[in-house]
Amino acid sequence: MAAWMVLLTGWVLGCALQLQQARLWPGAFYVLMGAAALCFIAGAATKFIVSRGSALPFISHATARTVLCMLGAALLGFALTGLRAVAFQADALAPELEGADIQVVGVVAAMPQRSEAGLRFRLDVESAQLLRRGLAADSADSEPMQGPTAQPTRSISVRLPPRLSLAWYSGLQRAEDPAAVPFAELQQGARALQAGERWALTVRLKAPHGTANPHGFDYELWMWEQGLQANGYVRATPKDVASGSAPRMIGSTWQHPIEAARQKVRDAIFARVTEPRLAGVIAALVVGDQAAIERSDWDIYRATGVAHLMSISGLHVTMFAWAAALAVGLLWRRSQRAMHWLPAQHAALIGGVLLATGYALFSGWGVPSQRTIWMLASVALLRLSGKQWPWPLVWLLAMAVVVAIDPWALLQAGFWLSFVAVGVLFASGRSAAPEPGPGLRHHPFIQKLAGVAREQWLITLALAPLSLLLFQQVSLIGLLANSVAIPWVTLVVTPLAMLGVVWTPLWDMAALCVQLLGQVLQWFALWPWATLSVAAPPFVLGAAAVVGGVVLALRLPWPLRAMGLAALLPALLWQAPRPPPGQFELLAADIGQGNAVLVRTARHGLLYDTGPRFSRESDAGQRTLVPLLRALDERLDTLIVSHRDSDHSGGALAVQAMQPGAALLSSLEASHEIISARAAGQATQRCSAGQRWQWDGVDFQILHPQAADYDAPGKPNAMSCVLRISNGQRTALLVADIEAAQEARLLADAAPIRAELLLAPHHGSKTSSTDAFLDAVKPSIAIFQSGYRNRFNHPAPEVAQRYIDRHIRRITSPDCGAATWRSDQPQQVVCQRQLKQRYWQHQGNN
């Protein structure tokens, strides 16, 4: 058993080390490393190599064999993971194909996800033709030539990644538009898209390129783990209809029958349950469509710590496996012939795992479900073999199997939450059976209930530090909320939802149960101190806190548990470093196409703009800024929304909800939803030139617009609030979307615009960054907050050239990620994308 422990530990460590590589090596290196690993393992097994170790008196044969086994397993894990990564990366999208028009024929590989913007789906590519007209496009969204001067469309075969993630956006056309009727039919075709259908589509693709922010979500890693190496959108416009390159369905296929069945069930749920919010939760529980749950409900589930129940998680799969095993065992015992052929406990074990696998497949085969199936299968095979391994080895075996199948799971929060929870339950063990006696508390049901409550308490206690480390937030009412939600969801809602596939009226009952639970959880979420948020601690302190939480949960003497509490405190009391008095820091968040800059002094914080709104359910505030502020434990004093454009104001509602104490300074009209959403008594003010305040020795001044500009407001860009920040030695200038006219006005008013750092006007648009303005500001550094391959082609080449001609250092969000600049280190910009480079991260230029 010790040998198995060494091998499994080495394997996991080797895989984990490979995930730290910034760049992949050539495949031959991994092949040689794998060969060396096999030699080490074989040498340890045959005792040939270790016999030479006897010449060293301080190394025993057993120690040498252990070292060789560990080293060999680690090298093998490293090599095989590297080889898989090299093979997968070989299918990456060629850079020259980004933004080009490509006609693909493929099969819809998964149930499409619908939203107000259209739908998103995955396509298995069968063939691809590059349309020559697409090569002339300068940007990802420039239109191909049309009309009598257009060149004939030619095509050549190209190689694409085997699976694409595509969006098919909805569109609106005027009724008098001649193309409106065929275009409407085209959009109807999008709404009818079914898994398993073969389609011919004209698409524009780009490599996966997510945002890079401190403590932010790694979208590129998620795409890698999903097996996706390109995303894009379907070209479905009236011009495509007129040119004959519109999308068309070729026919149905036998492929992906499970996905087609999932889609039919989901559509039936929404057709039966009239309330979309309730239907979304039922669809998530039955077919794993988490996107169907509305954002407001997710907020409640996270605040109460029950989010894991509202999607197909390991808990659901395990409960299903347990119920299936129980049912198979009962049925198996009814047949004497079956009992003679295979013992009932073995049949129950095999049947439970197989039926749970079917359930996981039908629910979308998500990564958490896959992990659970591999864990259950590993434990089942171990039991069927008759081996009695101690729990640490069983736990390590399950982990090694999951890592062997999906090494990148080591970087996912769900992986560690699952294994820490299982490990704690293994380690804590079940309480000894109580002595029989009179009284209700000795009743078997009460004892069982007490055992379940104890296990839930242990998991909650052990996972709280890990949740703080991973999410910087933990629900303080999670234990109470889960005590209500777990039995209600697993024993009432989920069975009703699943049985509704057979008899649809049960979905109405499930919807009623979901509604009742939502009301209780909403009441819990409104409690004061329902959640605890702390600053993200350094990894060492966070890891110590996790160990401390596990020690507290284990059945150990109280002096040892007190040591666990001591390990928790440094992480709980950690505070993110701040600038010293008299200095300030700017963090230009990576939020795609838009502006969002966090300004911090020694004791104060200000957020300048809140990034774009992507849809009704998603915006930069909810995706990026709220997690960032939580990780820094930042309490904003002021929120500035420079103007109404959605790429600057899109995340304001989410930030306001998180930071109700922040004063609002903006150029928004009084009827705007951001102002309307503010509670009575919350400070709200228009920005106007002349406003000035000081925090911790740092001066803040509004330079534009003038108060009189509100009497006859122009277009939104012209009303952008311009903020100057200075400590008397260094200055930063944040100008949002001002254009040439506003730049000229600042020059005419002799505004103090000289600055070391400039937030590039209008993201580098042709309308801004005039020669006179740049000559007056004389920045050393300019930050361009723009999206990767954005449809506006920001920054414009001629504008970028103006900065180059003046030797101004240009920092662009796609290349840098979040950019951090400090007034006490004015020549240094810290780029988040360059801090922890990994091989799956996109390194292409904007």
Side-chain angles (χ1 to χ4, degrees):
M1 289 188 184
W4 278 109
M5 182 74 76
V6 170
L7 286 171
L8 295 175
T9 302
W11 170 268
V12 174
L13 289 176
C15 294
L17 286 173
Q18 195 280 332
L19 301 185
Q20 308 307 310
Q21 285 193 282
R23 296 286 186 276
L24 289 174
W25 298 332
F29 280 67
Y30 297 110
V31 172
L32 292 175
M33 184 180 292
L38 293 176
C39 291
F40 285 152
I41 295 173
T46 59
K47 302 183 181 180
F48 174 75
I49 296 178
V50 297
S51 63
R52 304 298 184 89
S54 59
L56 300 176
F58 55 87
I59 298 180
S60 66
H61 288 272
T63 302
R65 291 184 66 191
T66 299
V67 171
L68 282 178
C69 279
M70 177 79 75
L71 183 59
L75 287 176
L76 188 60
F78 192 106
L80 293 181
T81 303
L83 277 174
R84 288 178 60 183
V86 169
F88 182 71
Q89 200 174 66
D91 290 327
L93 180 69
E96 61 270 16
L97 296 180
E98 289 191 285
D101 285 343
I102 303 174
Q103 193 167 62
V104 298
V105 174
V107 177
V108 179
M111 178 176 66
Q113 304 290 329
R114 293 185 174 89
S115 68
E116 62 177 7
L119 58 83
R120 183 168 289 279
F121 62 99
R122 296 180 183 183
L123 188 80
D124 284 346
V125 177
E126 295 179 333
S127 64
Q129 299 286 326
L130 174 64
L131 304 181
R132 300 293 295 181
R133 66 183 186 185
L135 293 177
D138 289 332
S139 70
D141 290 84
S142 57
E143 295 292 342
M145 295 178 64
Q146 300 288 339
T149 60
Q151 297 295 322
T153 300
R154 295 178 297 167
S155 62
I156 56 174
S157 297
V158 292
R159 185 169 176 267
L160 295 180
R163 178 167 289 188
L164 308 175
S165 175
L166 297 174
W168 191 334
Y169 297 115
S170 301
L172 299 175
Q173 298 296 313
R174 297 187 301 273
E176 63 273 15
D177 189 337
V181 174
F183 184 66
E185 295 174 354
L186 189 63
Q187 296 305 317
Q188 183 64 34
R191 289 190 290 271
L193 197 74
Q194 299 288 323
E197 292 178 343
R198 179 176 286 111
W199 281 73
L201 306 167
T202 301
V203 300
R204 286 186 179 175
L205 304 174
K206 62 181 179 180
H209 188 101
T211 58
N213 292 284
H215 314 289
F217 175 69
D218 192 339
Y219 171 76
E220 291 152 44
L221 172 62
W222 181 84
M223 289 284 285
W224 180 284
E225 194 174 23
Q226 296 292 315
L228 299 169
Q229 291 181 285
N231 56 9
Y233 64 93
V234 176
R235 293 275 300 171
T237 68
K239 290 183 179 180
D240 296 298
V241 175
S243 66
S245 60
R248 69 183 190 280
M249 189 185 78
I250 298 175
S252 299
T253 72
W254 56 268
Q255 301 179 50
H256 309 292
I258 295 177
E259 290 296 322
R262 292 179 63 224
Q263 185 172 356
K264 290 179 180 178
V265 171
R266 184 195 62 184
D267 294 344
I269 292 172
F270 276 90
R272 177 75 194 188
V273 181
T274 56
E275 175 57 49
R277 291 178 64 251
L278 304 178
V281 176
I282 296 173
L285 292 173
V286 176
V287 298
D289 187 6
Q290 297 184 35
I293 300 180
E294 296 192 1
R295 171 175 153 185
S296 58
D297 289 330
W298 275 125
D299 292 340
I300 293 174
Y301 299 151
R302 292 190 183 100
T304 53
V306 303
H308 62 101
L309 294 174
M310 300 307 168
S311 59
I312 304 299
S313 63
L315 175 63
H316 293 86
V317 176
T318 303
M319 290 292 294
F320 189 92
W322 173 81
L326 183 63
V328 170
L330 290 175
L331 292 174
W332 201 267
R333 289 183 177 90
R334 292 180 175 272
S335 171
Q336 290 293 331
R337 181 177 298 179
M339 289 284 291
H340 284 298
W341 180 65
L342 185 69
Q345 59 267 33
H346 287 182
L349 200 59
I350 295 171
V353 173
L354 291 177
L355 290 173
T357 302
Y359 173 57
L361 286 169
F362 188 75
S363 64
W365 198 237
V367 173
S369 298
Q370 293 178 39
R371 284 198 298 262
T372 306
I373 291 298
W374 305 136
M375 290 172 63
L376 292 173
S378 302
V379 175
L381 288 174
L382 192 64
R383 289 191 176 183
L384 290 172
S385 69
K387 297 184 181 298
Q388 298 292 327
W389 284 9
W391 75 260
L393 196 53
V394 175
W395 181 80
L396 190 58
L397 172 65
M399 177 181 288
V401 169
V402 172
V403 171
I405 295 170
D406 180 14
W408 299 275
L410 284 165
L411 300 175
Q412 300 293 342
F415 174 90
W416 294 106
L417 291 170
S418 298
F419 276 100
V420 169
V422 172
V424 167
L425 290 179
F426 270 141
S428 61
R430 292 186 176 271
S431 302
E435 294 293 333
L440 182 62
R441 71 187 190 92
H442 292 284
H443 191 278
F445 176 77
I446 299 298
Q447 293 295 329
K448 181 68 174 178
L449 190 64
V452 172
R454 175 180 173 273
E455 289 179 356
Q456 182 61 37
W457 161 249
L458 290 175
I459 292 175
T460 301
L461 182 61
L463 294 187
L466 184 57
S467 298
L468 287 174
L469 175 64
L470 295 172
F471 311 117
Q472 294 78 56
Q473 185 181 40
V474 66
S475 174
L476 297 180
I477 58 171
L479 180 62
L480 178 59
N482 275 282
S483 66
V484 175
I486 287 178
W488 188 252
V489 172
T490 56
L491 301 179
V492 180
V493 178
T494 301
L496 287 173
M498 296 297 296
L499 291 173
V501 177
V502 180
W503 192 47
T504 57
L506 291 177
W507 283 333
D508 297 327
M509 298 178 61
L512 178 61
C513 294
V514 170
Q515 187 176 24
L516 292 174
L517 178 64
Q519 292 172 353
V520 174
L521 294 177
Q522 188 172 20
W523 179 64
F524 280 148
L526 293 176
W527 286 14
W529 303 100
T531 60
L532 171 67
S533 298
V534 299
F539 177 78
V540 173
L541 295 184
V546 173
V547 173
V550 172
V551 169
L552 275 175
L554 296 180
R555 302 176 66 188
L556 297 172
W558 281 108
L560 290 179
R561 293 192 182 188
M563 295 176 62
L565 180 61
L568 275 171
L569 290 178
L572 293 176
L573 300 177
W574 170 261
Q575 293 183 345
R578 303 189 68 91
Q583 304 293 339
F584 63 99
E585 173 189 271
L586 268 65
L587 193 160
D590 187 6
I591 39 79
Q593 184 70 21
N595 280 158
V597 181
L598 176 63
V599 184
R600 302 200 304 159
T601 65
R603 293 191 302 267
H604 295 273
L606 176 148
L607 183 63
Y608 182 87
D609 280 339
T610 59
R613 180 176 182 177
F614 309 112
S615 68
R616 185 173 62 89
E617 295 293 318
S618 179
D619 56 64
Q622 171 252 346
R623 279 192 191 178
T624 301
L625 299 177
V626 167
L628 175 63
L629 294 171
R630 183 182 297 127
L632 296 175
D633 197 24
E634 187 67 41
R635 297 294 180 264
L636 295 179
D637 296 276
T638 301
L639 169 63
I640 294 181
V641 179
S642 64
H643 62 297
R644 63 172 297 125
D645 281 0
S646 63
D647 59 333
H648 295 254
S649 63
L653 292 176
V655 174
Q656 278 190 164
M658 180 208 182
Q659 303 273 352
L664 176 64
L665 193 62
S666 74
S667 63
L668 303 174
E669 63 275 15
S671 60
H672 197 281
E673 63 174 343
I674 294 174
I675 295 180
S676 301
R678 293 180 67 79
Q682 288 184 299
T684 304
Q685 199 174 5
R686 280 181 169 178
C687 62
S688 61
Q691 291 172 326
R692 196 166 189 169
W693 67 96
Q694 192 173 89
W695 289 337
D696 307 318
V698 179
D699 187 67
F700 294 77
Q701 183 180 2
I702 299 294
L703 304 181
H704 180 81
Q706 299 291 332
D709 294 338
Y710 290 97
D711 298 331
K715 62 180 183 178
N717 287 353
M719 299 299 293
S720 296
C721 302
V722 175
L723 177 65
R724 178 182 183 269
I725 310 165
S726 179
N727 63 356
Q729 298 176 329
R730 307 296 178 190
T731 302
L733 190 64
L734 310 182
V735 298
D737 281 356
I738 63 170
E739 299 181 350
Q742 291 75 51
E743 293 176 358
R745 183 172 180 180
L746 288 171
L747 295 175
D749 293 342
I753 59 175
R754 174 76 175 87
E756 281 76 22
L757 181 136
L758 171 67
L759 182 64
H762 202 179
H763 321 287
S765 168
K766 297 176 183 178
T767 63
S768 309
S769 297
T770 60
D771 291 310
F773 182 74
L774 294 181
D775 290 338
V777 178
K778 290 184 169 57
S780 302
I781 299 170
I783 296 178
F784 293 81
Q785 285 190 299
S786 57
Y788 176 70
R789 295 192 65 84
N790 63 86
R791 63 191 180 95
F792 307 103
N793 200 26
H794 291 161
E798 57 267 41
V799 173
Q801 189 61 47
R802 294 175 201 160
Y803 287 84
I804 294 172
D805 293 342
R806 290 164 176 79
H807 305 289
I808 301 170
R809 183 183 175 191
R810 296 171 298 120
I811 305 296
T812 59
S813 297
D815 297 322
C816 178
T820 303
W821 178 87
R822 295 174 59 104
S823 60
D824 54 356
Q825 297 174 335
Q827 301 305 317
Q828 181 178 350
V829 176
V830 178
C831 289
Q832 186 66 28
R833 189 169 284 276
Q834 298 168 9
L835 284 180
K836 294 182 179 179
Q837 294 186 358
R838 297 294 183 266
Y839 56 81
W840 56 80
Q841 293 171 345
H842 183 235
Q843 301 297 329
N845 293 324
N846 185 23

